[in-house]
Amino acid sequence: MERKGVLYVINGPNLNLLGRREPTLYGKATLGEIEELCRLWGRERGVEVRTFQSNHEGELVDLVHRGGDEADGIVLNGAAYSHTSIALRDAVAAVSVPVVEVHLTNTAARESFRRHSYLTAVAAGLVMGFGPRSYLLALEALN
Ligand code: DQA
């Protein structure tokens, strides 16, 4: 398939609050700063990185579908929906482009309800635990 030169970065619920949300866990970087890092990563490589955030499950499903049409790959931090949403899992399974699941924190080392993600089994891969660098490592994997 022909390359579009576009990668999507999609963030789920509560990640709009990064920077002031539990900073001891999630760090001080805002979502805007992380998105800018991702776009900069793209500019240095001739890839257009398009960033999105939604607190709404159905909107995230729509964004994954859109990424499937418009992008060569998707970086997805489904946040809490990773642990609960079969709809988001089905969206990831439905698109033909690779989706890399990311988390800022190492969810395997946290509460037991975070240890299972519906997305992992249908994702191309998983990067977690490296803070904002998780996103860059995921972009690297898709490039
Ligand atoms: C998170 C981990 C999730 O368990 C949590 O619900 C989030 C953020 C992360 O990036 O570490 O909102 O996805």
Side-chain angles (χ1 to χ4, degrees), residues 13-15 21 26 77-80 82-83 102-105 107 110 114 135:
N14 301 303
L15 294 170
R21 172 193 181 199
Y26 294 116
N77 186 346
S82 317
H83 314 301
V102 307
H103 299 283
L104 293 152
T105 59
T107 57
R110 296 182 59 194
R114 293 183 207 278
Y135 291 83

Side-chain angles (χ1 to χ4, degrees), residues 68-104:
D69 290 335
E70 295 179 2
D72 301 311
I74 300 171
V75 173
L76 175 62
N77 186 346
Y81 287 137
S82 317
H83 314 301
T84 63
S85 176
I86 296 171
L88 196 54
R89 178 251 179 239
D90 284 353
V92 171
V95 296
S96 54
V97 300
V99 178
V100 177
E101 177 181 1
V102 307
H103 299 283
L104 293 152

